[in-house]
Amino acid sequence: MADPKPALVLHLATGGEPLLFALTTEGSGKLAGKLAQLVQAGAVETVTTKDHSEVAINFAHVAAAYIDDLTRKSTVFGMHG
């Protein structure tokens, strides 16, 4: 089995392609439990990516946010093949 490649997936309220941010396994675990609250509150959160970059995200502009594993092929929102 391939090593997991967790990523933060953001679907913006304005549409378009989702934004993907590669995360560490530890970072994805910490963020996963806060995503619903961040979107509901429209909060701004700084996320550290796998390459140690810091990205400030304004969740007021996010329609959907979730952690996904990029090692999976043919992924459709909510359904994994």
Side-chain angles (χ1 to χ4, degrees), residues 63-78:
Y66 56 95
I67 304 295
D68 202 357
D69 184 352
L70 296 182
T71 58
R72 286 192 282 253
K73 306 280 189 216
S74 68
T75 301
V76 178
F77 178 71

Side-chain angles (χ1 to χ4, degrees), residues 46-58:
T46 300
V47 174
T48 303
T49 64
K50 187 173 183 173
D51 67 357
H52 307 289
S53 298
E54 290 188 346
V55 180
I57 299 170
N58 184 343

